[in-house]
Amino acid sequence: MSNNPEIKEKEMAQDGFDPRILGFFCHWCCYAAADAAGVSRYQYPPNVRVIRVMCTGRIDTRFILEAFKCGADGVFTGG
Amino acid sequence: MVLGGGVTGVQAALDLAELGYYVYLVEKKASIGGVMAQLDKTFPTNDCSI
Amino acid sequence: MEAGRSPNIEILTNASLNAIEGKPGAFKAKVYQAPRYINEDLCTACGMCTMYCPRPIADTYNERLDITRAPHIDYAQAIPSSYYIDAKACLRVNYSTCNLCAQTCTAGAIDFSQQPKELTLDVGAVILAPGFGRVDREVLEKFGYGTYPDVVTSYEFERLTCASGPTEGHIVRPSDNRPPKKIAFLQCIGSRDETCGNGYCSSVCCMYAIKEASVAKDHEPDLDISIFFMDVRTQGKGFDDARKRAQDKYGIKVHRARVPRVEQIEGRLALTWTNEDGSHESEIFDMVVLSEGLASPEDAEKIAGVAGIELNHYQFCKTSVGSPLATSKEGILVAGAFQGPKDIPESVTQASGAAAIASELLADCRNEKTVTVTYPEERADLQAQEPRIGIFVCHCGVNISGVIDVKAVRDYAASLPGVVLYDDPLYSCSQDALKAIAEKIKENDLNRVVIAACSPRTHEPLFQETLRSVGLNPALIEMANIRDQCSWVHAQEPEEATEKAKDLVRMAAAKARLLEPLEQPTVPVTPVALVLGGGAAGMSAASSLADQGFEVVLVEKEKALGGNLSRLTWTLDGDDAARVLKDMVARVKKNKRIKVMTGATLQSISGYVGNFTSTIAVGRKKTEIVNHGVVILATGGKEYKPLSYAYGESSRVLTQLELEEKLQRGKGFLKNAKNVVMIQCVGSRGDDMAHCSRLCCTQAVKNALKLKETKPDLRIFILYRDMRTYGFYEDLYREARKQGIIFVRYTPDRKPEVLKQSRGIKVRVFDRLIGEELNIPASLVVLSSGIAPMENQELSQILKAPLTSDGFFLEAHAKLRPVELSVDGVYLCGLAHGPKSLEESVAQAKAAAAKAAIPLAKGRVAVAPIVSRVNKDQCIGCGLCEALCPFNAIRLVKEGKRKKAETITASCKGCGICATRCPTLCISMGGFTDEAIMAQIHAFSPDGCKGGDGS
């Protein structure tokens, strides 16, 4: 596999790996940054689904385990 | 009374209303917003104007 | 644009001011209002009238690049959200024929019987904010506008780059509708140009040209863009940085030349210009954008006549440095571009500032004429019923529907459990759509609402208010962000984006089912303001607040009030700075509501908006406790102390402020002086500090003129990078050149050198015009050392208020909340915000006073209801939550024999750390309960997580 992220992404897609990711975004920073990314029209892969929380401190380990149980291939916490 | 319904007039009217006064906002065109409503993005953050 | 929703703002459109009589506090204003011919209350903004009207007219909102019809609305989000008929074009109004629109309007809103109205309004104060006018067409025609179709104005270009514009954001040449490859922007069209009467600088065009060029490059990365500047004037806060980024990221070419005319050669546009070294150059472009300046409003003279105010020599409103928002007539104030060309943040700042002055005048009758909104009582029975969800999937014009299949998402939403209504409004945030949502909630007895649109960060309050208006608790809404975090970021993958939108809607609906009504807590406000800093900004803010009727504690760290103003000799317009200072100090001292503490600093602060408690250190040992509701931060900045150019090594090298102090003492020091050299950007613009200090250019020119006046045979050189004498200060720059002051531009890679010689000093600089080095024996070298921030780190930590990378305080929103900090109840003004002139500091201080007065005037502030709640039956009093809470917002209290946790609602920020760590899971977060988040997680799986192990 290459280290170039774009090529890597392509290779992973060729492998048929299209992960479903659940994100927990802090309202104040990560969620705001994700909005800002939209405003700037940055493009990124459509694999992540977002749950907004008021702080990453809100994220209980139970939430993360539950996410994996519900079929998440990855969990993203941003704060 | 605030004469002009652009971003300045609207802001002045909002602040006065919040401060406890009744405001007449007098605009010569058919809608408020002024030139800012015509702008797409703003410098330097490229935030949306509307 | 929230003005449409305030019950205390009455918007009169199609209206003009005809007369004003009376005195401050009791004016009578006569307003003429032309008919809209469409009843605002009945119009549903369906657009049928526009569709059927046979009379095409140019769409002025789109700079005449598009066509609309006589009955129309300017743009989808317009306020009022009602159509109107252009009386000049309408066949029915002018010839009594047609009437088609009235027949097609199903709402019966079209009413040709409307007559013009003459209203007489009783008003206490008037704020003039008519904005700016357009540059004369003749000026544009000199550059081929109107003759060559591909010469466009910057306004037209703005519409071409806009997604909701006539070309949906595709940049095309008007001549053949094909994308251009090479674009040139010409600056200073109708600005800095005495031949058209506009000798001033418009202060905004450099920024918007860079913005338009960047946006164009975003749309078409292969575009070749050149901008022709005289000087690059990006002196605003953070603007230099943004300019540099735009130049680096987009490769925009910067030329320093004024292009005299535009010629057409074989369907393309040829520009010829003279470079700095005198050489000529020509290039062919596909499109030329004229960066049109800001002119005085077309009706400036009429307004001046009606209001009885004076204009300046450029037909803008006349004001003074000490009171920049006052016109020549008491009780009539001015704000925005009519006071002088300026950008959005400054206009917004002046608007708030003018509001503060009006509030000072009218303090006695606050809350006398206002109406308060009353919301219908909450329908508790309905809220308690099984969830009846309404889902609204927004098109956001083409912002969402251009990528996502909105109808498919809407139909998918219909299949979700509990959903009884679904719809897809064009702009769900527009006034008419909000009205429709409210109607649908009522008609269908909805008790939960999901809005799939943009970000809850920006739009949730708007929809919450709609819920309240129909008796639903505002907590019963959930938003799915399918724009900022979906359609905008997956523009190339419409199918995946649609799938993601469906998932987000499903998750939002799952959470919505479990939402519970939340109580809206409010807390009382201590009606006292703490103002930190006793310079020009702090004193202006304190006086304004006191005159508005509030107690003020003014804290100054030095022994006397005055700050940097006490070092200034002349204001930028040549006024006596000492007199301005004396007036300010006198105004503060005679006001009984202001308590001045000198030699004092803020030691610590606790609490939240409405209820702060601060410890002020006075002198070495004493401390004093102050209870207050708001804080104004006006701690100033300082003169940068130069580290280079032999400063401190020779008595002939001074800073501009030191020169002023010398000049004030007498002209003896100039007796043998022949040459004076001023060096700009010492410390600023990447020399040591990254930012531009904004006023040194004007200060240098002002002092050079003073020197000339004192000793006319002096030879004065100003070595500069860009002369940033913005606005009316351009007059000083022109005057300086007329007086023979010599301006030499240098670049940072070839800085001037100050060389010490056995007798005196010499300045060496490369003159780009003659292509040679100049060696100037200098009697005096004056360094334009910029404005540095104070050591703000400690204060920043005490207040939890962030700083910019330059070390100044960072405002909450650069454009729309320029004087508020991200911490509620803390406001910002003066040099602590960034370098600015005295005039700008005063206006900003007034603005901060207006914002700070809002909670004080209201008497109570609302606290977000997303706070934690402890179920005391389950609480074991372990104290983990109290120890972990970063805001000291949860404490243990004794209840009977046991200790129980309790939330301090007003301090709680809703972070949820307590809930996550509570061993008995007895803390629940409003709006973010365990159950609701779990439901979202389960809904993440398309089959509702039935595949799990069912635990």
Side-chain angles (χ1 to χ4, degrees):
Chain A
M1 281 230 200
S2 163
N3 280 331
N4 180 324
E6 271 174 40
I7 298 174
K8 199 166 181 175
E9 197 183 290
K10 263 191 202 143
E11 284 173 357
M12 281 173 88
Q14 277 163 8
D15 290 349
F17 182 55
D18 193 15
R20 281 177 62 77
I21 301 166
L22 182 61
F24 292 96
F25 287 14
C26 163
H27 173 89
W28 302 106
C29 47
C30 189
Y31 197 89
D35 283 350
V39 172
S40 312
R41 307 294 193 278
Y42 289 128
Q43 300 296 308
Y44 56 83
N47 297 47
V48 66
R49 306 291 180 266
V50 176
I51 293 179
R52 181 174 64 104
V53 288
M54 293 310 289
C55 171
T56 40
R58 180 73 192 92
I59 305 167
D60 200 312
T61 39
R62 291 176 299 139
F63 297 166
I64 297 173
L65 297 174
E66 198 70 14
F68 285 121
K69 225 190 296 178
C70 290
D73 297 306
V75 173
F76 180 115
T77 67
Chain B
M1 180 178 80
V2 177
L3 184 69
V7 62
T8 309
V10 169
Q11 183 65 53
L14 282 171
D15 286 339
L16 281 169
E18 289 274 294
L19 284 166
Y21 305 98
Y22 192 87
V23 186
Y24 297 103
L25 183 58
V26 178
E27 165 59 42
K28 69 178 172 197
K29 293 205 174 144
S31 54
I32 59 172
V35 181
M36 189 165 172
Q38 278 182 289
L39 305 182
D40 179 28
K41 309 266 169 47
T42 56
F43 185 87
T45 48
N46 284 3
D47 276 356
C48 169
S49 269
I50 293 173
Chain C
M1 294 290 169
E2 307 159 15
R5 297 202 314 276
S6 170
N8 287 310
I9 300 177
E10 189 172 326
I11 299 174
L12 305 169
T13 53
N14 280 353
S16 57
L17 178 64
N18 270 355
I20 186 148
E21 289 152 14
K23 55 181 196 322
F27 287 118
K28 278 207 187 304
K30 287 210 166 64
V31 172
Y32 170 86
Q33 194 175 21
R36 294 174 74 94
Y37 296 115
I38 295 182
N39 186 324
E40 285 175 51
D41 299 326
L42 296 177
C43 175
T44 59
C46 68
M48 211 60 119
C49 48
T50 310
M51 214 186 300
Y52 281 94
C53 175
R55 189 67 193 252
I57 56 169
D59 179 356
T60 47
Y61 173 73
N62 274 319
E63 290 294 321
R64 315 179 78 86
L65 294 169
D66 210 348
I67 287 170
T68 182
R69 305 279 161 164
H72 64 279
I73 190 162
D74 291 336
Y75 53 103
Q77 300 97 327
I79 296 171
S81 59
S82 141
Y83 281 51
Y84 68 98
I85 292 175
D86 184 335
K88 276 206 265 338
C90 175
L91 297 170
R92 170 70 175 76
V93 172
N94 292 290
Y95 311 108
S96 299
T97 57
C98 187
N99 212 29
L100 260 180
C101 54
Q103 286 158 24
T104 54
C105 179
T106 48
I110 294 176
D111 176 7
F112 285 108
S113 70
Q114 285 185 0
Q115 295 296 323
K117 276 188 273 188
E118 175 98 38
L119 308 165
T120 304
L121 312 174
D122 290 313
V123 297
V126 179
I127 296 176
L128 303 176
F132 54 86
R134 293 290 177 88
V135 164
D136 287 341
R137 205 182 148 89
E138 284 164 34
V139 179
L140 306 175
E141 281 168 358
K142 277 197 271 185
F143 296 90
Y145 182 76
T147 313
Y148 310 135
D150 296 333
V151 176
V152 299
T153 67
S154 43
Y155 296 95
E156 291 166 352
F157 196 74
E158 186 84 36
R159 295 313 301 156
L160 287 176
T161 59
C162 182
S164 64
T167 57
E168 293 178 357
H170 299 294
I171 300 164
V172 293
R173 307 201 318 166
S175 63
D176 56 5
N177 279 323
R178 290 171 59 159
K181 291 192 183 71
K182 276 177 76 176
I183 301 179
F185 281 78
L186 306 189
Q187 297 305 105
C188 301
I189 305 296
S191 317
R192 300 180 70 184
D193 181 1
E194 273 189 303
T195 62
C196 70
N198 295 352
Y200 55 86
C201 159
S202 292
S203 307
V204 299
C205 326
C206 285
M207 271 71 74
Y208 77 58
I210 294 168
K211 175 203 73 176
E212 288 185 0
S214 308
V215 171
K217 286 285 269 187
D218 267 336
H219 285 268
E220 299 293 336
D222 296 332
L223 264 177
D224 180 325
I225 299 182
S226 296
I227 308 183
F228 291 84
F229 295 99
M230 295 210 283
D231 295 277
V232 185
R233 292 188 169 172
T234 46
Q235 63 275 342
K237 185 178 182 182
F239 288 4
D240 241 352
D241 221 25
R243 171 193 54 80
K244 200 168 166 299
R245 261 182 285 132
Q247 264 173 270
D248 296 348
K249 178 174 171 194
Y250 298 109
I252 294 162
K253 292 179 198 154
V254 171
H255 297 278
R256 282 170 191 278
R258 187 162 208 170
V259 180
R261 75 181 83 80
V262 179
E263 287 159 310
Q264 196 172 31
I265 297 177
E266 291 171 1
R268 298 177 75 199
L269 300 165
L271 304 181
T272 304
W273 67 93
T274 312
N275 286 319
E276 272 182 295
D277 58 5
S279 64
H280 294 286
E281 215 173 312
S282 298
E283 214 174 308
I284 306 263
F285 293 90
D286 297 319
M287 197 170 175
V288 168
V289 183
L290 304 179
S291 290
E292 204 183 318
L294 310 187
S296 68
E298 282 96 25
D299 46 359
E301 277 184 51
K302 189 196 157 203
I303 294 170
V306 169
I309 58 156
E310 284 176 46
L311 300 178
N312 72 8
H313 60 295
Y314 291 126
Q315 305 289 304
F316 285 84
C317 185
K318 191 172 172 183
T319 58
S320 72
V321 165
S323 29
L325 307 174
T327 66
S328 55
K329 196 160 169 189
E330 208 195 332
I332 299 186
L333 309 163
V334 62
F338 185 38
Q339 192 260 351
K342 60 178 60 64
D343 60 10
I344 296 167
E346 276 188 73
S347 298
V348 169
T349 302
Q350 287 202 336
S352 298
I357 302 175
S359 176
E360 293 165 23
L361 281 171
L362 306 176
D364 294 338
C365 51
R366 176 179 297 125
N367 291 333
E368 275 180 15
K369 299 275 159 111
T370 46
V371 273
T372 38
V373 233
T374 43
Y375 293 104
E377 205 169 309
E378 282 182 23
R379 299 170 65 190
D381 53 325
L382 176 65
Q383 289 175 173
Q385 282 171 26
E386 279 295 294
R388 293 177 57 80
I389 306 175
I391 297 192
F392 300 88
V393 185
C394 184
H395 287 251
C396 195
V398 293
N399 278 303
I400 294 171
S401 60
V403 178
I404 291 169
D405 184 344
V406 167
K407 300 256 186 240
V409 176
R410 181 202 63 185
D411 294 341
Y412 173 75
S415 70
L416 297 168
V419 175
V420 293
L421 179 104
Y422 51 95
D423 198 4
D424 58 326
L426 182 60
Y427 283 100
S428 52
C429 59
S430 63
Q431 292 276 306
D432 58 309
L434 290 172
K435 234 194 277 174
I437 292 173
E439 287 301 320
K440 287 190 169 128
I441 294 174
K442 268 198 277 189
E443 278 166 23
N444 297 285
D445 281 333
L446 302 178
N447 59 12
R448 303 287 187 278
V449 175
V450 172
I451 308 273
C454 48
S455 174
R457 288 175 54 253
T458 52
H459 282 71
E460 202 171 53
L462 187 69
F463 297 113
Q464 284 179 326
E465 202 165 300
T466 302
L467 260 65
R468 289 181 76 183
S469 73
V470 288
L472 279 187
N473 186 284
L476 300 176
I477 183 183
E478 179 65 16
M479 288 185 73
N481 190 340
I482 62 168
R483 187 186 74 176
D484 306 40
Q485 299 185 8
C486 195
S487 69
W488 277 353
V489 291
H490 311 310
Q492 309 304 325
E493 296 150 293
E495 280 166 29
E496 284 87 347
T498 302
E499 284 313 304
K500 178 171 172 180
K502 287 181 186 173
D503 288 355
L504 291 174
V505 168
R506 181 177 67 239
M507 289 161 71
K511 180 173 176 187
R513 276 194 288 280
L514 295 171
L515 289 173
E516 289 297 325
L518 295 174
E519 212 182 308
Q520 175 70 59
T522 61
V523 293
V525 175
T526 312
V528 178
L530 176 70
V531 178
L532 300 174
M539 287 193 287
S540 302
S543 298
S544 175
L545 280 166
D547 286 345
Q548 291 182 63
F550 306 106
E551 300 291 320
V552 180
V553 178
L554 179 60
V555 174
E556 165 58 43
K557 73 172 187 310
E558 301 295 336
K559 294 225 162 52
L561 295 174
N564 288 306
L565 180 55
S566 53
R567 283 196 66 196
L568 225 58
T569 309
W570 301 284
T571 62
L572 288 182
D573 64 353
D575 250 10
D576 179 8
R579 192 184 50 78
V580 177
L581 173 67
K582 222 175 92 191
D583 290 352
M584 278 187 185
V585 174
R587 200 175 156 196
V588 166
K589 289 210 165 143
K590 79 163 190 250
N591 201 315
K592 291 197 183 76
R593 294 199 187 97
I594 305 176
K595 178 182 171 188
V596 180
M597 296 169 80
T598 48
T601 52
L602 176 71
Q603 202 172 55
S604 68
I605 186 167
S606 64
Y608 44 87
V609 55
N611 292 279
F612 288 108
T613 300
S614 295
T615 310
I616 312 290
V618 189
R620 289 235 174 125
K621 287 179 189 152
K622 247 176 60 190
T623 57
E624 218 170 294
I625 304 285
V626 177
N627 290 313
H628 53 104
V630 292
V631 186
I632 290 185
L633 195 63
T635 47
K638 61 185 178 192
E639 184 187 29
Y640 173 80
K641 283 286 166 220
L643 304 169
S644 48
Y645 299 117
Y647 180 77
E649 295 168 33
S650 164
S651 59
R652 290 170 185 268
V653 183
L654 314 167
T655 66
Q656 291 284 1
L657 275 183
E658 286 163 359
L659 171 70
E660 287 188 25
E661 281 160 9
K662 263 192 192 277
L663 264 172
Q664 195 184 21
R665 269 184 251 127
K667 57 182 179 180
F669 74 106
L670 290 173
K671 203 171 154 208
N672 297 316
K674 283 201 179 70
N675 292 336
V676 176
V677 182
M678 295 186 174
I679 303 177
Q680 299 304 109
C681 297
V682 176
S684 307
R685 296 188 65 190
D687 189 45
D688 185 15
M689 308 179 289
H691 62 269
C692 162
S693 293
R694 193 176 171 97
L695 34 126
C696 335
C697 284
T698 308
Q699 191 186 25
V701 171
K702 173 194 77 174
N703 287 345
L705 285 170
K706 281 274 175 202
L707 285 173
K708 263 288 192 208
E709 192 188 305
T710 319
K711 195 173 182 200
D713 62 340
L714 270 181
R715 290 225 302 167
I716 304 174
F717 297 81
I718 297 185
L719 316 183
Y720 72 100
R721 288 177 56 192
D722 290 284
M723 280 312 286
R724 292 183 166 174
T725 44
Y726 57 95
F728 302 131
Y729 300 139
E730 182 70 12
D731 284 352
L732 293 175
Y733 181 30
R734 192 177 319 102
E735 181 60 27
R737 280 175 315 194
K738 273 191 196 147
Q739 301 246 354
I741 291 164
I742 302 155
F743 290 85
V744 180
R745 193 171 85 86
Y746 74 88
T747 52
D749 55 339
R750 211 160 175 183
K751 281 185 191 160
E753 290 169 88
V754 176
L755 306 168
K756 274 194 291 180
Q757 292 177 314
S758 52
R759 301 183 68 187
I761 45 176
K762 150 175 119 172
V763 179
R764 182 183 290 163
V765 63
F766 180 72
D767 187 335
R768 304 162 67 87
L769 187 64
I770 54 174
E772 276 177 29
E773 264 183 358
L774 295 181
N775 286 293
I776 314 164
S779 320
L780 273 180
V781 174
V782 188
L783 304 179
S784 289
S785 61
I787 294 170
M790 305 296 278
E791 283 79 26
N792 286 329
Q793 283 77 8
E794 196 188 330
L795 192 56
S796 151
Q797 274 168 13
I798 293 176
L799 287 166
K800 296 198 175 74
L803 299 176
T804 66
S805 55
D806 296 325
F808 295 100
F809 283 94
L810 177 68
E811 61 272 34
H813 188 288
K815 290 273 170 285
L816 301 177
R817 294 173 63 199
V819 297
E820 292 162 76
L821 288 179
S822 54
V823 188
D824 288 343
V826 187
Y827 309 88
L828 175 65
C829 59
L831 296 183
H833 162 274
K836 60 179 60 65
S837 70
L838 175 61
E839 173 181 354
E840 290 158 352
S841 280
V842 171
Q844 207 183 24
K846 295 275 185 194
K851 294 292 183 191
I854 291 172
L856 301 179
K858 285 190 168 166
R860 295 191 80 81
V861 282
V863 185
I866 46 164
V867 295
S868 63
R869 255 158 265 259
V870 182
N871 179 344
K872 289 191 180 164
D873 295 338
Q874 286 176 31
C875 176
I876 52 171
C878 69
L880 201 53
C881 50
E882 187 187 31
L884 288 172
C885 177
F887 306 101
N888 298 325
I890 201 159
R891 64 183 165 205
L892 289 184
V893 285
K894 254 206 155 143
E895 288 207 355
K897 283 182 185 165
R898 292 186 145 178
K899 280 191 169 175
K900 299 278 180 188
E902 186 182 86
T903 306
I904 307 163
T905 307
S907 299
C908 177
K909 300 272 175 215
C911 73
I913 290 176
C914 52
T916 321
R917 296 303 163 97
C918 176
T920 62
L921 303 177
C922 75
I923 301 177
S924 136
M925 301 305 302
F928 294 86
T929 58
D930 279 1
E931 296 75 22
I933 295 176
M934 280 298 188
Q936 274 178 294
I937 299 169
H938 291 152
F940 166 69
S941 157
D943 62 0
C945 199
K946 290 188 190 98
D949 68 3
S951 64

